[in-house]
Amino acid sequence: MSVLAGIGMTSARTRARMIERLREKGIRDERVLAAIAAVPRHVFVEEALASRAYEDTALPLGFAQTISQPFIVARMIELLRAGRELGRTLEIGAGCGYQAAVLAQLAGEVHAIERIEPLLARARRNLEIIGETRVHLLHGDGQFGLPAAAPFDTIIVAAAAARVPPALLQQLACGGRMVLPVGTGDQYLSLIEHRAEGYVETRLDAVRFVPLLTGVE
Ligand code: SAH
């Protein structure tokens, strides 16, 4: 067997193990598991950490940011999907582009906003490397959403806000779902459904995310 084929097999095995671990932790949505299995996470982490890419942990990205833990990505997208298509999706906090790549497997259209320009450039390069062309990346402050492309069927936020940003509520289509971490000290995952009678919030797991910041860098 060639060295390259060997590396390919190792990666396939470690990826399969990661999916098994997500299953054990309670992820049930097979489409979400398949989407995670389809994205080579090692491309998105720093080279020195590539050997840890398929561990179920958050890893540093530089700029005091982290690539989300696969379980959290899976959990949030499972909640977002609720067994349906993601439709038009908005992601706030694209980071290195990993979660955007997973979303692209399941959504009709993905818009992803990041406030740190060098990170956005990295996300752009990473998505190019894996040949992912379905993600529209934007530099900006995601608290204000993306009025030009609204409304969205699904919105996912990768950084914790003190309160749910009102602009994001406004840009959530009727029948749409949003999943985001909320809180400054203790944080929890919040699921917001935009129903005909109004917005319904369900507070879920305790989580730990980097803060949603104001302005751009
Ligand atoms: N989705 C990434 C997670 C990145 S961590 C992944 O797949 O791993 C969260 C990201 O949110 C950071 O890159 C941070 O810069 C970004 N962020 C924080 N506040 C923001 C804001 N107001 N607008 C856009 N991005 C923001």
Side-chain angles (χ1 to χ4, degrees):
M1 192 200 317
S2 78
V3 175
L4 272 181
I7 289 171
M9 281 183 60
T10 310
S11 156
R13 259 203 305 271
T14 45
R15 267 202 240 184
R17 261 204 300 272
M18 181 171 87
I19 299 303
E20 270 324 299
R21 225 168 299 132
L22 295 180
R23 240 190 260 282
E24 282 162 21
K25 287 186 174 181
I27 304 301
R28 294 279 169 270
D29 188 330
E30 289 299 326
R31 297 267 319 273
V32 172
L33 291 168
I36 291 197
V39 177
R41 193 167 183 257
H42 64 271
V43 170
F44 294 83
V45 304
E46 309 220 342
E47 220 168 311
L49 295 169
S51 66
R52 302 186 53 198
Y54 298 99
E55 291 176 15
D56 187 24
T57 49
L59 293 170
L61 276 183
F63 309 96
Q65 304 303 327
T66 51
I67 178 169
S68 301
Q69 180 193 359
F71 172 73
I72 287 291
V73 172
R75 169 87 174 127
M76 289 176 81
I77 299 178
E78 186 172 69
L79 287 167
L80 200 61
R81 239 173 68 74
R84 298 199 311 241
E85 295 304 312
L86 288 181
R88 287 161 58 75
T89 300
L90 175 66
E91 182 196 32
I92 309 301
C96 60
Y98 173 69
Q99 181 168 268
V102 177
L103 290 167
Q105 313 295 316
L106 299 163
E109 202 174 308
V110 180
H111 297 266
I113 307 181
E114 171 56 51
R115 64 179 289 278
I116 302 178
E117 191 151 42
L119 262 185
L120 186 80
R122 199 182 302 167
R124 192 159 275 138
R125 197 190 59 210
N126 290 339
L127 293 171
E128 220 171 86
I129 291 172
I130 67 162
E132 181 54 73
T133 56
R134 293 166 291 187
V135 178
H136 305 271
L137 287 169
L138 277 127
H139 183 224
D141 183 343
Q143 289 178 72
F144 304 108
L146 190 58
F152 298 98
D153 302 306
T154 48
I155 300 180
I156 185 166
V157 186
R163 291 181 311 119
V164 181
L168 299 185
L169 286 177
Q170 278 161 19
Q171 292 171 34
L172 188 62
C174 195
R177 296 163 73 82
M178 166 154 62
V179 176
L180 76 167
V182 178
T184 41
D186 291 336
Q187 301 172 2
Y188 58 89
L189 269 191
S190 171
L191 165 68
I192 293 172
E193 295 165 89
H194 187 179
R195 299 195 187 152
E197 67 271 22
Y199 296 95
V200 178
E201 182 185 20
T202 311
R203 294 183 177 200
L204 299 155
D205 328 7
V207 286
R208 217 174 67 211
F209 278 79
V210 296
L212 189 75
L213 299 175
T214 299
V216 295
E217 286 178 39

